């Protein structure tokens, strides 16, 4: 599959949410009203249980399945595993470590990262089995290029080229009880948001993007960078303090906030209202603040 753009601003592809346990993540996400895909096994020691959305984006809860394999992969230069390990060492096993952008040419993205001094290391190509809810399997293949700013251990971005998309029916995996149909916005926090402009502009392949008002407009979502005070004022969640860029919240489109709030209440999920948004604070297995917003 190569229908991602090779030029122009890259779209949001998926989000990486480290967790200490896929079982805990699966239980938490299910209680939030999401359908969670069967476990996917990477060839380098990590594993995931993804949440696929109808807009083509997805969440990737990520755990360590085979510790020794992950250690060996990181030592051999696997940037994906190395950055995951660095995140866990810095912030623990639960969180939101990476924003992944769609691309049709990961090699071109890698060259751009190298040229601008923002490459996090070599590209990565790999394949893994994908299984849908009916048990049908196929192979998913990817090529990835990684960008990170020096010292920004708590966040990185990478471009993901889908070399082969599994020929399976995802409809059942996208029918979420909470009504979520896509990702509207990804929110990052930094004490110095203006300092993150260069990294994000290069990563999204839009040299002119300056994050005016803290917002980078992708073709299918917004990537916002707020200072802690603005983040807390908007969502009512304490943001702490850090000069490093930290991914902190995900805004989902839902059909009806009434339906979503009733489901959360029925599943004993604590949630708050911020304006017209439903806000669920981060929890073990969830990684980030989840915000549900009704879109007609």
């Amino acid at each position: 599959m190569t229908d991602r753009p090779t030029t122009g601003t890259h779209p949001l592809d998926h989000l990486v949410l480290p967790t200490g346990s896929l079982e805990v993540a699966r239980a938490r996400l299910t209680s939030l009203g999401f359908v969670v895909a069967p476990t996917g096994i990477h060839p380098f020691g990590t594993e995931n249980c993804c949440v696929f959305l109808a807009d083509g984006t997805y969440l990737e809860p990520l755990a360590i399945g085979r510790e020794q394999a992950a250690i060996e992969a990181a030592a051999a230069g696997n940037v994906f595993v190395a950055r995951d390990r660095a995140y866990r060492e810095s912030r623990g096993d639960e969180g939101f470590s990476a924003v992944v952008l769609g691309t049709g040419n990961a090699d071109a993205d890698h060259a751009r990262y190298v040229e601008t001094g923002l490459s996090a290391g070599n590209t990565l190509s790999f394949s893994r089995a994908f299984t849908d809810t009916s048990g049908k399997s196929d192979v998913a293949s990817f090529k990835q290029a990684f960008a990170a700013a020096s010292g920004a251990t708590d966040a990185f971005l990478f471009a993901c080229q889908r070399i082969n998309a599994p020929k399976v029916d995802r409809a059942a995996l996208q029918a979420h009880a909470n009504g979520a149909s896509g990702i509207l916005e990804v929110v990052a926090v930094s004490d110095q948001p203006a300092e993150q402009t260069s990294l994000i502009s290069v990563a999204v392949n839009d040299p002119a993007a300056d994050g005016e008002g803290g917002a980078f407009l992708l073709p299918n979502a917004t990537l916002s960078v707020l200072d802690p005070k603005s983040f807390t004022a908007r969502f009512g969640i304490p943001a702490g303090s850090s000069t490093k860029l930290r991914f902190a919240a995900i805004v989902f489109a839902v059909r009806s906030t009434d339906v979503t709030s009733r489901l959360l209440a029925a599943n004993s999920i604590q949630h708050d209202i911020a304006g017209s948004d439903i806000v669920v604070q981060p929890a073990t297995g969830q990684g980030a603040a989840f915000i549900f917003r009704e879109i007609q």
Side-chain angles (χ1 to χ4, degrees), residues 148-170:
S150 177
T153 306
D154 293 347
F156 72 115
L157 301 96
F158 62 93
C160 182
Q161 181 179 355
R162 301 187 191 184
I163 304 298
N164 183 66
K167 296 178 177 62
V168 294
D169 184 2
R170 286 185 176 173

Side-chain angles (χ1 to χ4, degrees), residues 77 79-80 83 106-124 144-152 155-159 198-199 202-203:
V79 178
F80 180 77
R83 294 296 309 204
D107 288 328
D109 291 298
H110 175 66
R112 188 174 69 256
Y113 300 162
V114 171
E115 182 180 359
T116 54
L118 293 172
S119 172
N122 294 331
T123 59
L124 172 67
Q144 301 171 342
F146 304 90
S150 177
F156 72 115
L157 301 96
F158 62 93
S198 176
L199 170 63
V202 169

Side-chain angles (χ1 to χ4, degrees), residues 234-237 270-274 277-281 289-292:
R234 183 174 171 189
F235 299 116
I237 300 173
Q270 182 177 348
H271 57 284
D272 302 298
I273 304 298
D277 293 341
I278 298 173
V279 178
V280 180
Q281 297 203 25
F290 282 12
I291 293 91
F292 299 97

Side-chain angles (χ1 to χ4, degrees), residues 14-33:
H14 68 279
L15 307 174
V16 182
L17 304 171
T19 182
S21 166
L22 288 190
E23 290 74 17
V24 171
R26 186 182 297 279
R28 175 65 179 180
L29 293 168
T30 299
S31 71
L32 288 167

Side-chain angles (χ1 to χ4, degrees), residues 208-242:
D210 60 6
E212 183 177 357
F216 295 82
L217 303 180
L218 309 183
N220 59 342
T222 299
L223 173 54
S224 300
V225 185
L226 304 178
D227 62 72
K229 183 177 180 180
S230 298
F231 180 84
T232 300
R234 183 174 171 189
F235 299 116
I237 300 173
S241 177
S242 175

